[in-house]
């Protein structure tokens, strides 16, 4: 059962990362964000926006870790509780 929960959490995190990077890239192409976020890799993926999302996620995870927050009950649940309505609202 734990394997299914971990697998679904990983899939959800990857989907959230992908959606966030693509939204940042699209906003950069519309000149709502800095142009460097709109740079794409030769394959066409939003590379700069993906790095920006990864950096922001790393900063947040380190901040929660330094605060001594539990990785699941505080970090994962709290951030998903904020992120999921945000993505739904953008749809």
């Amino acid at each position: 059962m734990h394997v299914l929960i971990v697998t679904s959490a990983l899939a959800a995190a990857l989907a959230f990362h992908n959606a966030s990077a693509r939204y940042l890239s699209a906003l950069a192409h519309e000149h709502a964000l800095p142009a460097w976020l709109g740079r794409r890799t030769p394959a066409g993926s939003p590379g700069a926006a993906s790095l920006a999302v990864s950096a922001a996620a790393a900063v947040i995870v380190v901040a929660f870790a330094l605060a001594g927050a539990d990785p699941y009950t505080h970090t994962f649940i709290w951030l998903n509780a904020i992120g999921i309505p945000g993505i739904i609202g953008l749809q």
Side-chain angles (χ1 to χ4, degrees):
M1 183 65 164
H2 293 288
V3 172
L4 296 176
I5 292 172
V6 170
T7 304
S8 65
L10 178 62
L14 288 172
F16 183 76
H17 177 88
N18 185 38
S20 299
R22 292 193 180 275
Y23 272 114
L24 285 179
S25 180
L27 287 170
H29 282 289
E30 295 294 324
H31 305 292
L33 291 176
W36 65 269
L37 284 170
R39 289 190 202 131
R40 297 195 172 261
T41 65
S45 63
S50 180
L51 288 174
V53 171
S54 295
V59 167
I60 292 169
V61 168
V62 167
F64 271 82
L66 291 176
D70 180 61
Y72 181 74
T73 59
H74 292 117
T75 308
F76 184 72
I77 299 295
W78 286 6
L79 294 177
N80 279 337
I82 295 168
I84 292 169
I87 290 294
I88 291 172
L90 287 172
Q91 302 291 332

